[in-house]
Amino acid sequence: MTASINDVAQAVGVSASTVSRALRGRPGVSDEVRDRIAAVAAQLGYTASRSASSLASGRTYTIGVLVPYVGRWFFGTVLDAAEKVFSTAGYDVLLYNLGSPETRKRFFTKLPVRKRVDAVLSLLIPDDDESAALRSLGVPLATTVGGTRPGFTVVGIDDRAGTESAVRHLVNLGHRRIGMISGASGPLHWTTPIERRNAYLDVLAEAGIEHDAALEADGDYTVEGGERAMTELLAASRPPTAVFAQSDEMAMGALRALRRHRLKAPDDVSVVGFDDHELADVVGLTTVAQPVAEQGAEAARLLLRQLDEPGAEPPRHVQMPIRLVLRETTAPPRPRGPQ
Amino acid sequence: MTASINDVAQAVGVSASTVSRALRGRPGVSDEVRDRIAAVAAQLGYTASRSASSLASGRTYTIGVLVPYVGRWFFGTVLDAAEKVFSTAGYDVLLYNLGSPETRKRFFTKLPVRKRVDAVLSLLIPDDDESAALRSLGVPLATTVGGTRPGFTVVGIDDRAGTESAVRHLVNLGHRRIGMISGASGPLHWTTPIERRNAYLDVLAEAGIEHDAALEADGDYTVEGGERAMTELLAASRPPTAVFAQSDEMAMGALRALRRHRLKAPDDVSVVGFDDHELADVVGLTTVAQPVAEQGAEAARLLLRQLDEPGAEPPRHVQMPIRLVLRETTAPPRPRGPQ
DNA sequence: AATATGAACGCAAACGCTTGCGCAACAAGG
DNA sequence: CCTTGTTGCGCAAGCGTTTGCGTTCATATT
């Protein structure tokens, strides 16, 4: 079928080992022979079989990437950036889309990446068993989502600081009834919703605002969930004048709910999101921005570094900057008159 | 390190070949032995090395997926759906993110998928050389984006019908100055923008509207591009009263441009998009919906079928339904008075 | 009872690379 | 001129599977 290393060796008149060394830049080959080999290899369109070379060397030059939902903006963006880093370093990426419990379970029991990847980047938080399974692979591990786990190097953001800036912004605007749309219903070990909720409660307390449980609703990190949650909040006996959504997608759902109720942001209720989604600007959403692509790229780089320097102790936790970006969905509450 | 097939064989007291046959459901193993092998394999946590088995068998149980931009909604959604189909069939997916010309070039010259995949799903349109390179792999090929290529089975939509319904909608509303934001600047062989443009021109002609070149602008299929394009159109001596954007992302960019100009849709200008993006509903965008995830899933299924029945002639082209979904960014033109 | 027929299993040869080791050949050092 | 290195290359043993073929043995066939 396609040319093998022996075909090249034969054509050049050297042994297969020399071809192997020459093509991979290993020492022990004269420049002259190396050039001839390169020429013949190019002419024959030879590429080493990955299966064969990884079987022989143990290195796969492949990274496993675990993602809950490839289709969602956040994960897609992280994946995009990470893939670029990996591929320019000569690594391929094996993608596992582990959104549903079944596929997730299947993955962790069969562990199809065993002996197949040199490292894994997990965009989901593994529970104890799952992370033990991953550690059993004996390869470097990284994740870009909240919740540090032993054996993983995690790159993330300061969730507390981020939500504090968002909620304080609302407080400073004069809001007292501040709702929150959270995403608590996710898997366990996923600390982000909890961190953000705690920060939310802290800011309220610090502002002397009493917490009202009727002002919290679960939006499941989706647009539809955000819409449902906002609808729920609007049905409260005393609805909020402002809401903090733990993700832009939920915030957008909230905006949709407002529109359905013939209410407007920020006139009737202020809304602030989290992420700085690609389309947040389109809808004028005030939000706390996090460097999503950069997190993916950085996690990828850290993984590659671990592969280059097997000895070195990998960084445990790196934090990326966040910042509040003010747009048009937040304003002072109305009841007290215009401006 | 991890258990090999010989470890299992030894533990059970049979040969490696029997273990191999047993675990893969091949005939020639008694039920009793098969059960014992399964038990021991499970206990030892044995999983066959993919490198070794694909080297030996030639089958990789891996599909290569080529994507221009994983981070964009359309591609992310297609990928998500396709991956699900592949993974439930026991196939892994190798992801190649080929957005930039360099990575794309590198991919097609080095062809890292050679001997590494059983099939490839391309979410980008290869040019002649590229598609020849892919065909040289000798595996089934499919694509989900416009522009049929020899050797590929393509699943897509009727671009003509889709844009006709969109533009006719604007015509029926009474618009005469109808602009278009296209994405012509993409790679060659990408027939979608051309198809859509032709359909746009045809509808105008059929309505007796003279075509005005100043009413067309390139939006590059991005939000920013759409914004630029709309800005450009608004600067025309006689701006459009309605615009058809070839993608929802460009349409959203257009909406943003309108907002920046203190104009409103549909009051000042009607906007219709294409795709039915996840967030089209949030911004109330009228658009022509296409079944994005279904296209990915269907393409994946067709590929798998070709792997199952190597003899059969694969379908060349399958078309999925589209439909116009009316929301709030289209209305009759204003000049003629209210309603 | 002798033979044919399968079923169940083992042997050993691939699959296409990588890599430790050995062996020339040649340059430099005494 | 004989060592001692060094450089350039080939040999051959893996890496962990799959699979064609051969062997054994129990069962069915005449």
Side-chain angles (χ1 to χ4, degrees):
Chain A
M1 195 89 195
T2 68
S4 86
I5 198 172
N6 289 304
D7 299 332
V8 179
Q10 214 167 346
V12 179
V14 296
S15 73
S17 8
T18 301
V19 174
S20 172
R21 282 188 270 256
L23 259 23
R24 292 179 311 132
R26 286 276 184 284
V29 182
S30 69
D31 289 350
E32 189 248 326
V33 171
R34 196 182 290 272
D35 290 348
R36 266 170 45 215
I37 290 176
V40 172
Q43 187 209 326
L44 262 50
Y46 168 74
T47 310
S49 153
R50 274 301 226 298
S51 311
S53 72
S54 59
L55 177 58
S57 69
R59 295 270 297 192
T60 64
Y61 284 97
T62 301
I63 310 286
V65 180
L66 278 34
V67 182
Y69 308 98
V70 194
R72 289 198 192 162
W73 174 79
F74 180 90
F75 299 108
T77 303
V78 172
L79 173 61
D80 189 317
E83 198 278 351
K84 275 177 187 141
V85 172
F86 287 136
S87 74
T88 77
Y91 285 81
D92 289 338
V93 357
L94 259 183
L95 177 69
Y96 293 92
N97 196 20
L98 270 26
S100 74
E102 310 89 63
T103 61
R104 183 165 178 151
K105 186 170 190 182
R106 183 152 37 93
F107 176 87
F108 283 103
T109 63
K110 303 209 54 171
L111 222 49
V113 289
R114 188 189 295 280
K115 294 258 180 192
R116 254 206 125 178
V117 297
D118 291 341
V120 359
L121 171 59
S122 174
L123 271 37
L124 43 82
I125 303 292
D127 65 27
D128 287 340
D129 291 344
E130 292 170 346
S131 85
L134 290 180
R135 274 194 302 271
S136 81
L137 295 173
V139 300
L141 268 20
T143 170
T144 60
V145 274
T148 150
R149 313 245 70 210
F152 286 75
T153 115
V154 4
V155 2
I157 54 166
D158 189 335
D159 278 305
R160 289 198 63 86
T163 101
E164 279 171 15
S165 69
V167 182
R168 280 212 190 97
H169 169 56
L170 296 174
V171 168
N172 293 340
L173 246 20
H175 291 278
R176 307 287 296 174
R177 295 198 58 76
I178 300 175
M180 178 171 69
I181 299 178
S182 58
S185 73
L188 323 120
H189 296 283
W190 160 243
T191 64
T192 296
I194 300 158
E195 291 276 5
R196 294 187 186 173
R197 177 165 191 268
N198 288 340
Y200 159 78
L201 295 178
D202 288 354
V203 173
L204 291 192
E206 141 199 325
I209 300 173
E210 197 181 344
H211 172 238
D212 180 350
L215 259 34
E216 278 190 60
D218 183 0
D220 192 36
Y221 278 105
T222 65
V223 176
E224 291 71 26
E227 182 171 3
R228 276 196 311 274
M230 188 74 218
T231 304
E232 203 176 304
L233 294 183
L234 290 175
S237 56
R238 293 180 56 213
T241 63
V243 345
F244 162 60
Q246 285 196 9
S247 83
D248 279 357
E249 264 145 326
M250 293 191 291
M252 292 183 194
L255 293 179
R256 186 157 76 189
L258 289 178
R259 264 218 339 254
R260 295 255 158 93
H261 284 78
R262 310 246 165 261
L263 296 175
K264 290 172 78 174
D267 311 29
D268 300 298
V269 9
S270 286
V271 174
V272 26
F274 204 118
D275 282 349
D276 199 20
H277 188 287
E278 172 185 23
L279 297 176
D281 189 32
V282 172
V283 298
L285 180 65
T286 290
T287 190
V288 4
Q290 61 167 316
V292 180
E294 287 75 7
Q295 289 178 70
E298 181 62 14
R301 273 184 236 112
L302 291 177
L303 239 22
L304 291 179
R305 191 168 314 157
Q306 290 182 59
L307 291 176
D308 285 344
E309 313 163 2
E313 183 64 16
R316 279 282 148 261
H317 198 274
V318 353
Q319 206 128 270
M320 313 279 286
I322 48 96
R323 77 173 201 290
L324 183 66
V325 0
L326 267 28
R327 284 195 271 249
E328 301 130 51
T329 53
T330 49
R334 195 163 51 173
R336 299 276 151 257
Q339 186 59 337
Chain B
M1 196 91 195
T2 67
S4 87
I5 198 173
N6 289 304
D7 299 331
V8 179
Q10 211 166 348
V12 179
V14 296
S15 74
S17 9
T18 301
V19 174
S20 173
R21 283 188 268 257
L23 258 22
R24 292 179 310 133
R26 287 275 184 285
V29 182
S30 69
D31 289 350
E32 190 247 326
V33 171
R34 195 182 292 271
D35 290 348
R36 265 169 46 216
I37 290 176
V40 172
Q43 187 211 325
L44 262 50
Y46 169 75
T47 310
S49 153
R50 272 303 226 298
S51 311
S53 75
S54 58
L55 178 58
S57 69
R59 294 271 296 190
T60 65
Y61 283 97
T62 301
I63 311 285
V65 179
L66 277 34
V67 183
Y69 309 96
V70 195
R72 290 197 192 162
W73 173 79
F74 181 89
F75 299 109
T77 304
V78 172
L79 174 61
D80 188 318
E83 197 278 351
K84 275 177 186 138
V85 171
F86 287 136
S87 75
T88 76
Y91 285 80
D92 289 338
V93 357
L94 259 183
L95 177 69
Y96 295 91
N97 196 20
L98 269 27
S100 74
E102 309 88 65
T103 60
R104 183 165 178 152
K105 186 171 191 182
R106 182 153 36 94
F107 176 87
F108 282 104
T109 63
K110 304 209 54 171
L111 223 48
V113 288
R114 189 189 295 281
K115 293 257 178 193
R116 254 205 124 178
V117 298
D118 291 342
V120 0
L121 171 59
S122 174
L123 270 39
L124 43 83
I125 303 293
D127 65 28
D128 287 340
D129 291 345
E130 292 170 346
S131 87
L134 290 179
R135 275 194 302 271
S136 81
L137 295 173
V139 302
L141 268 20
T143 171
T144 60
V145 274
T148 150
R149 312 245 72 210
F152 286 75
T153 115
V154 5
V155 2
I157 55 167
D158 189 334
D159 278 305
R160 287 199 64 86
T163 101
E164 280 172 14
S165 69
V167 182
R168 279 210 191 99
H169 168 56
L170 295 174
V171 168
N172 293 341
L173 246 21
H175 291 277
R176 305 288 295 176
R177 294 197 59 75
I178 301 174
M180 177 171 70
I181 298 178
S182 58
S185 75
L188 322 122
H189 297 284
W190 160 243
T191 64
T192 297
I194 300 161
E195 291 276 6
R196 294 187 187 172
R197 177 164 191 268
N198 288 339
Y200 159 78
L201 295 177
D202 287 354
V203 173
L204 291 191
E206 141 199 325
I209 300 174
E210 197 180 345
H211 172 239
D212 180 350
L215 259 35
E216 279 190 59
D218 183 0
D220 193 36
Y221 278 107
T222 65
V223 176
E224 291 72 25
E227 182 172 3
R228 275 197 310 274
M230 189 72 218
T231 305
E232 203 176 305
L233 294 183
L234 290 175
S237 55
R238 294 181 56 214
T241 63
V243 343
F244 162 60
Q246 286 196 9
S247 83
D248 279 357
E249 266 145 324
M250 293 192 290
M252 292 182 192
L255 293 179
R256 186 157 76 187
L258 289 178
R259 263 219 338 255
R260 295 256 158 93
H261 285 76
R262 310 244 164 262
L263 296 174
K264 291 172 76 174
D267 311 31
D268 299 299
V269 9
S270 286
V271 174
V272 26
F274 205 117
D275 282 350
D276 200 20
H277 187 287
E278 173 186 23
L279 297 176
D281 190 31
V282 173
V283 297
L285 180 65
T286 291
T287 190
V288 5
Q290 60 167 317
V292 180
E294 287 75 6
Q295 289 179 69
E298 180 63 13
R301 272 183 236 113
L302 290 177
L303 239 22
L304 291 178
R305 190 168 316 157
Q306 289 181 60
L307 291 175
D308 285 345
E309 313 164 1
E313 183 64 16
R316 279 282 149 260
H317 198 274
V318 353
Q319 206 129 267
M320 313 278 287
I322 47 95
R323 76 174 202 289
L324 183 66
V325 1
L326 269 26
R327 282 195 273 250
E328 301 130 52
T329 54
T330 49
R334 195 162 52 172
R336 300 275 150 259
Q339 184 62 334

